[in-house]
PDB file of all heavy atoms in Angstrom:
ATOM      1  N   TRP A 905      18.109   1.578 -12.828  1.00 98.00           N
ATOM      2  CA  TRP A 905      18.473   1.743 -11.423  1.00 98.00           C
ATOM      3  C   TRP A 905      18.636   0.380 -10.776  1.00 98.00           C
ATOM      4  O   TRP A 905      17.937  -0.586 -11.137  1.00 98.00           O
ATOM      5  CB  TRP A 905      17.379   2.503 -10.679  1.00 98.00           C
ATOM      6  CG  TRP A 905      17.287   3.967 -10.967  1.00 98.00           C
ATOM      7  CD1 TRP A 905      18.310   4.844 -11.152  1.00 98.00           C
ATOM      8  CD2 TRP A 905      16.076   4.739 -11.072  1.00 98.00           C
ATOM      9  NE1 TRP A 905      17.833   6.103 -11.383  1.00 98.00           N
ATOM     10  CE2 TRP A 905      16.464   6.073 -11.338  1.00 98.00           C
ATOM     11  CE3 TRP A 905      14.725   4.436 -10.971  1.00 98.00           C
ATOM     12  CZ2 TRP A 905      15.536   7.093 -11.496  1.00 98.00           C
ATOM     13  CZ3 TRP A 905      13.800   5.451 -11.136  1.00 98.00           C
ATOM     14  CH2 TRP A 905      14.200   6.772 -11.396  1.00 98.00           C
ATOM     15  N   TYR A 906      19.513   0.296  -9.777  1.00 98.00           N
ATOM     16  CA  TYR A 906      19.732  -0.944  -9.034  1.00 98.00           C
ATOM     17  C   TYR A 906      19.784  -0.646  -7.539  1.00 98.00           C
ATOM     18  O   TYR A 906      20.446   0.301  -7.105  1.00 98.00           O
ATOM     19  CB  TYR A 906      21.031  -1.618  -9.468  1.00 98.00           C
ATOM     20  CG  TYR A 906      21.081  -1.888 -10.960  1.00 98.00           C
ATOM     21  CD1 TYR A 906      21.808  -1.066 -11.811  1.00 98.00           C
ATOM     22  CD2 TYR A 906      20.369  -2.951 -11.520  1.00 98.00           C
ATOM     23  CE1 TYR A 906      21.846  -1.296 -13.181  1.00 98.00           C
ATOM     24  CE2 TYR A 906      20.400  -3.186 -12.893  1.00 98.00           C
ATOM     25  CZ  TYR A 906      21.137  -2.349 -13.715  1.00 98.00           C
ATOM     26  OH  TYR A 906      21.161  -2.575 -15.070  1.00 98.00           O
ATOM     27  N   VAL A 907      19.079  -1.418  -6.768  1.00 98.00           N
ATOM     28  CA  VAL A 907      18.991  -1.474  -5.297  1.00 98.00           C
ATOM     29  C   VAL A 907      18.428  -0.219  -4.635  1.00 98.00           C
ATOM     30  O   VAL A 907      17.936  -0.297  -3.512  1.00 98.00           O
ATOM     31  CB  VAL A 907      20.329  -1.872  -4.605  1.00 98.00           C
ATOM     32  CG1 VAL A 907      20.878  -3.155  -5.179  1.00 98.00           C
ATOM     33  CG2 VAL A 907      21.371  -0.769  -4.622  1.00 98.00           C
ATOM     34  N   ILE A 908      18.476   0.949  -5.259  1.00 98.00           N
ATOM     35  CA  ILE A 908      17.884   2.131  -4.627  1.00 98.00           C
ATOM     36  C   ILE A 908      16.361   2.013  -4.641  1.00 98.00           C
ATOM     37  O   ILE A 908      15.781   1.508  -5.585  1.00 98.00           O
ATOM     38  CB  ILE A 908      18.345   3.441  -5.291  1.00 98.00           C
ATOM     39  CG1 ILE A 908      18.034   3.459  -6.794  1.00 98.00           C
ATOM     40  CG2 ILE A 908      19.846   3.657  -5.055  1.00 98.00           C
ATOM     41  CD1 ILE A 908      18.370   4.799  -7.477  1.00 98.00           C
ATOM     42  N   ASN A 909      15.727   2.491  -3.576  1.00 98.00           N
ATOM     43  CA  ASN A 909      14.288   2.262  -3.422  1.00 98.00           C
ATOM     44  C   ASN A 909      13.511   3.524  -3.079  1.00 98.00           C
ATOM     45  O   ASN A 909      12.496   3.818  -3.685  1.00 98.00           O
ATOM     46  CB  ASN A 909      14.052   1.195  -2.360  1.00 98.00           C
ATOM     47  CG  ASN A 909      12.636   0.677  -2.294  1.00 98.00           C
ATOM     48  OD1 ASN A 909      12.316  -0.176  -1.496  1.00 98.00           O
ATOM     49  ND2 ASN A 909      11.741   1.179  -3.139  1.00 98.00           N
ATOM     50  N   SER A 910      13.961   4.304  -2.086  1.00 98.00           N
ATOM     51  CA  SER A 910      13.191   5.495  -1.732  1.00 98.00           C
ATOM     52  C   SER A 910      14.058   6.487  -0.966  1.00 98.00           C
ATOM     53  O   SER A 910      15.104   6.139  -0.413  1.00 98.00           O
ATOM     54  CB  SER A 910      11.956   5.140  -0.900  1.00 98.00           C
ATOM     55  OG  SER A 910      12.328   4.609   0.356  1.00 98.00           O
ATOM     56  N   ILE A 911      13.599   7.731  -0.956  1.00 98.00           N
ATOM     57  CA  ILE A 911      14.225   8.806  -0.194  1.00 98.00           C
ATOM     58  C   ILE A 911      13.126   9.503   0.595  1.00 98.00           C
ATOM     59  O   ILE A 911      12.060   9.812   0.056  1.00 98.00           O
ATOM     60  CB  ILE A 911      14.937   9.824  -1.110  1.00 98.00           C
ATOM     61  CG1 ILE A 911      15.992   9.132  -1.969  1.00 98.00           C
ATOM     62  CG2 ILE A 911      15.568  10.945  -0.282  1.00 98.00           C
ATOM     63  CD1 ILE A 911      16.583  10.035  -3.042  1.00 98.00           C
ATOM     64  N   GLU A 912      13.401   9.772   1.874  1.00 98.00           N
ATOM     65  CA  GLU A 912      12.452  10.463   2.728  1.00 98.00           C
ATOM     66  C   GLU A 912      13.143  11.634   3.401  1.00 98.00           C
ATOM     67  O   GLU A 912      14.357  11.611   3.639  1.00 98.00           O
ATOM     68  CB  GLU A 912      11.902   9.503   3.794  1.00 98.00           C
ATOM     69  CG  GLU A 912      11.174   8.303   3.201  1.00 98.00           C
ATOM     70  CD  GLU A 912      10.768   7.290   4.258  1.00 98.00           C
ATOM     71  OE1 GLU A 912      11.160   7.475   5.442  1.00 98.00           O
ATOM     72  OE2 GLU A 912      10.079   6.323   3.911  1.00 98.00           O
ATOM     73  N   VAL A 913      12.362  12.669   3.685  1.00 98.00           N
ATOM     74  CA  VAL A 913      12.891  13.842   4.380  1.00 98.00           C
ATOM     75  C   VAL A 913      12.045  14.111   5.617  1.00 98.00           C
ATOM     76  O   VAL A 913      10.870  13.726   5.693  1.00 98.00           O
ATOM     77  CB  VAL A 913      12.884  15.096   3.478  1.00 98.00           C
ATOM     78  CG1 VAL A 913      13.853  14.919   2.327  1.00 98.00           C
ATOM     79  CG2 VAL A 913      11.477  15.413   2.976  1.00 98.00           C
ATOM     80  N   ILE A 914      12.665  14.750   6.599  1.00 98.00           N
ATOM     81  CA  ILE A 914      11.911  15.230   7.750  1.00 98.00           C
ATOM     82  C   ILE A 914      11.179  16.512   7.337  1.00 98.00           C
ATOM     83  O   ILE A 914      11.785  17.443   6.798  1.00 98.00           O
ATOM     84  CB  ILE A 914      12.842  15.503   8.940  1.00 98.00           C
ATOM     85  CG1 ILE A 914      13.354  14.182   9.527  1.00 98.00           C
ATOM     86  CG2 ILE A 914      12.111  16.300  10.017  1.00 98.00           C
ATOM     87  CD1 ILE A 914      12.286  13.367  10.248  1.00 98.00           C
ATOM     88  N   ALA A 915       9.879  16.525   7.557  1.00 98.00           N
ATOM     89  CA  ALA A 915       9.055  17.670   7.168  1.00 98.00           C
ATOM     90  C   ALA A 915       8.054  17.974   8.270  1.00 98.00           C
ATOM     91  O   ALA A 915       7.888  17.192   9.221  1.00 98.00           O
ATOM     92  CB  ALA A 915       8.343  17.381   5.849  1.00 98.00           C
ATOM     93  N   ASP A 916       7.365  19.096   8.128  1.00 96.00           N
ATOM     94  CA  ASP A 916       6.428  19.492   9.179  1.00 96.00           C
ATOM     95  C   ASP A 916       5.117  18.735   9.057  1.00 96.00           C
ATOM     96  O   ASP A 916       4.904  17.947   8.121  1.00 96.00           O
ATOM     97  CB  ASP A 916       6.203  21.004   9.168  1.00 96.00           C
ATOM     98  CG  ASP A 916       5.593  21.513   7.869  1.00 96.00           C
ATOM     99  OD1 ASP A 916       4.813  20.776   7.235  1.00 96.00           O
ATOM    100  OD2 ASP A 916       5.894  22.667   7.489  1.00 96.00           O
ATOM    101  N   ALA A 917       4.220  18.995   9.975  1.00 96.00           N
ATOM    102  CA  ALA A 917       2.984  18.219  10.066  1.00 96.00           C
ATOM    103  C   ALA A 917       2.094  18.362   8.847  1.00 96.00           C
ATOM    104  O   ALA A 917       1.286  17.474   8.551  1.00 96.00           O
ATOM    105  CB  ALA A 917       2.207  18.631  11.316  1.00 96.00           C
ATOM    106  N   GLY A 918       2.236  19.466   8.100  1.00 96.00           N
ATOM    107  CA  GLY A 918       1.381  19.692   6.942  1.00 96.00           C
ATOM    108  C   GLY A 918       1.885  19.077   5.668  1.00 96.00           C
ATOM    109  O   GLY A 918       1.245  19.222   4.617  1.00 96.00           O
ATOM    110  N   ALA A 919       3.007  18.387   5.701  1.00 98.00           N
ATOM    111  CA  ALA A 919       3.582  17.782   4.502  1.00 98.00           C
ATOM    112  C   ALA A 919       3.092  16.349   4.335  1.00 98.00           C
ATOM    113  O   ALA A 919       2.979  15.597   5.312  1.00 98.00           O
ATOM    114  CB  ALA A 919       5.104  17.804   4.578  1.00 98.00           C
ATOM    115  N   PHE A 920       2.809  15.968   3.086  1.00 98.00           N
ATOM    116  CA  PHE A 920       2.340  14.617   2.772  1.00 98.00           C
ATOM    117  C   PHE A 920       2.875  14.209   1.412  1.00 98.00           C
ATOM    118  O   PHE A 920       3.535  14.996   0.731  1.00 98.00           O
ATOM    119  CB  PHE A 920       0.806  14.569   2.766  1.00 98.00           C
ATOM    120  CG  PHE A 920       0.173  14.813   4.107  1.00 98.00           C
ATOM    121  CD1 PHE A 920      -0.291  16.077   4.454  1.00 98.00           C
ATOM    122  CD2 PHE A 920       0.066  13.777   5.024  1.00 98.00           C
ATOM    123  CE1 PHE A 920      -0.858  16.305   5.694  1.00 98.00           C
ATOM    124  CE2 PHE A 920      -0.500  13.994   6.271  1.00 98.00           C
ATOM    125  CZ  PHE A 920      -0.967  15.263   6.606  1.00 98.00           C
ATOM    126  N   ALA A 921       2.579  12.973   1.026  1.00 98.00           N
ATOM    127  CA  ALA A 921       3.031  12.468  -0.265  1.00 98.00           C
ATOM    128  C   ALA A 921       1.860  11.882  -1.045  1.00 98.00           C
ATOM    129  O   ALA A 921       0.873  11.417  -0.473  1.00 98.00           O
ATOM    130  CB  ALA A 921       4.115  11.406  -0.085  1.00 98.00           C
ATOM    131  N   ILE A 922       2.011  11.909  -2.373  1.00 98.00           N
ATOM    132  CA  ILE A 922       1.113  11.242  -3.311  1.00 98.00           C
ATOM    133  C   ILE A 922       1.830  10.009  -3.831  1.00 98.00           C
ATOM    134  O   ILE A 922       2.984  10.090  -4.262  1.00 98.00           O
ATOM    135  CB  ILE A 922       0.772  12.153  -4.503  1.00 98.00           C
ATOM    136  CG1 ILE A 922       0.108  13.451  -4.033  1.00 98.00           C
ATOM    137  CG2 ILE A 922      -0.101  11.422  -5.527  1.00 98.00           C
ATOM    138  CD1 ILE A 922       0.067  14.522  -5.118  1.00 98.00           C
ATOM    139  N   ALA A 923       1.177   8.866  -3.809  1.00 98.00           N
ATOM    140  CA  ALA A 923       1.736   7.646  -4.389  1.00 98.00           C
ATOM    141  C   ALA A 923       0.975   7.325  -5.666  1.00 98.00           C
ATOM    142  O   ALA A 923      -0.259   7.291  -5.669  1.00 98.00           O
ATOM    143  CB  ALA A 923       1.631   6.478  -3.406  1.00 98.00           C
ATOM    144  N   ALA A 924       1.705   7.113  -6.757  1.00 99.00           N
ATOM    145  CA  ALA A 924       1.092   6.790  -8.049  1.00 99.00           C
ATOM    146  C   ALA A 924       1.397   5.343  -8.395  1.00 99.00           C
ATOM    147  O   ALA A 924       2.556   4.986  -8.633  1.00 99.00           O
ATOM    148  CB  ALA A 924       1.617   7.722  -9.133  1.00 99.00           C
ATOM    149  N   LEU A 925       0.365   4.507  -8.409  1.00 99.00           N
ATOM    150  CA  LEU A 925       0.503   3.092  -8.727  1.00 99.00           C
ATOM    151  C   LEU A 925       0.156   2.900 -10.197  1.00 99.00           C
ATOM    152  O   LEU A 925      -0.925   3.278 -10.644  1.00 99.00           O
ATOM    153  CB  LEU A 925      -0.444   2.268  -7.853  1.00 99.00           C
ATOM    154  CG  LEU A 925      -0.442   0.759  -8.077  1.00 99.00           C
ATOM    155  CD1 LEU A 925       0.879   0.144  -7.620  1.00 99.00           C
ATOM    156  CD2 LEU A 925      -1.614   0.107  -7.329  1.00 99.00           C
ATOM    157  N   GLY A 926       1.061   2.289 -10.962  1.00 98.00           N
ATOM    158  CA  GLY A 926       0.769   2.168 -12.380  1.00 98.00           C
ATOM    159  C   GLY A 926       1.687   1.232 -13.126  1.00 98.00           C
ATOM    160  O   GLY A 926       2.482   0.494 -12.542  1.00 98.00           O
ATOM    161  N   ASN A 927       1.558   1.287 -14.458  1.00 98.00           N
ATOM    162  CA  ASN A 927       2.362   0.460 -15.360  1.00 98.00           C
ATOM    163  C   ASN A 927       3.304   1.358 -16.151  1.00 98.00           C
ATOM    164  O   ASN A 927       3.788   2.359 -15.633  1.00 98.00           O
ATOM    165  CB  ASN A 927       1.434  -0.361 -16.259  1.00 98.00           C
ATOM    166  CG  ASN A 927       0.302   0.486 -16.833  1.00 98.00           C
ATOM    167  OD1 ASN A 927       0.526   1.570 -17.358  1.00 98.00           O
ATOM    168  ND2 ASN A 927      -0.928   0.006 -16.725  1.00 98.00           N
ATOM    169  N   SER A 928       3.562   1.028 -17.422  1.00 98.00           N
ATOM    170  CA  SER A 928       4.542   1.791 -18.199  1.00 98.00           C
ATOM    171  C   SER A 928       4.124   3.234 -18.432  1.00 98.00           C
ATOM    172  O   SER A 928       4.984   4.111 -18.622  1.00 98.00           O
ATOM    173  CB  SER A 928       4.794   1.110 -19.544  1.00 98.00           C
ATOM    174  OG  SER A 928       3.582   0.973 -20.277  1.00 98.00           O
ATOM    175  N   ILE A 929       2.829   3.516 -18.411  1.00 98.00           N
ATOM    176  CA  ILE A 929       2.371   4.892 -18.643  1.00 98.00           C
ATOM    177  C   ILE A 929       2.690   5.769 -17.440  1.00 98.00           C
ATOM    178  O   ILE A 929       2.918   6.974 -17.578  1.00 98.00           O
ATOM    179  CB  ILE A 929       0.877   4.904 -19.013  1.00 98.00           C
ATOM    180  CG1 ILE A 929       0.686   4.225 -20.379  1.00 98.00           C
ATOM    181  CG2 ILE A 929       0.318   6.324 -19.040  1.00 98.00           C
ATOM    182  CD1 ILE A 929      -0.751   4.066 -20.809  1.00 98.00           C
ATOM    183  N   THR A 930       2.752   5.182 -16.247  1.00 98.00           N
ATOM    184  CA  THR A 930       3.221   5.913 -15.072  1.00 98.00           C
ATOM    185  C   THR A 930       4.739   5.859 -14.985  1.00 98.00           C
ATOM    186  O   THR A 930       5.394   6.846 -14.627  1.00 98.00           O
ATOM    187  CB  THR A 930       2.571   5.340 -13.808  1.00 98.00           C
ATOM    188  OG1 THR A 930       1.149   5.559 -13.878  1.00 98.00           O
ATOM    189  CG2 THR A 930       3.112   5.991 -12.549  1.00 98.00           C
ATOM    190  N   ASP A 931       5.312   4.703 -15.344  1.00 98.00           N
ATOM    191  CA  ASP A 931       6.766   4.540 -15.338  1.00 98.00           C
ATOM    192  C   ASP A 931       7.436   5.479 -16.332  1.00 98.00           C
ATOM    193  O   ASP A 931       8.596   5.857 -16.164  1.00 98.00           O
ATOM    194  CB  ASP A 931       7.097   3.081 -15.681  1.00 98.00           C
ATOM    195  CG  ASP A 931       8.439   2.632 -15.131  1.00 98.00           C
ATOM    196  OD1 ASP A 931       8.942   3.257 -14.183  1.00 98.00           O
ATOM    197  OD2 ASP A 931       8.974   1.648 -15.662  1.00 98.00           O
TER     198      ASP A 931
END
């Protein structure tokens, strides 16, 4: 991939995200 970074959507108050920080095993 090149230059693309993230996508976000408008969601209701009960919506959240999980962020996974890692190396090749997460990649």
Side-chain angles (χ1 to χ4, degrees):
W905 287 321
Y906 304 102
V907 307
I908 57 175
N909 191 180
S910 65
I911 302 171
E912 300 174 354
V913 294
I914 288 290
D916 62 32
F920 294 97
I922 301 166
L925 179 68
N927 46 48
S928 58
I929 293 175
T930 296
D931 205 21

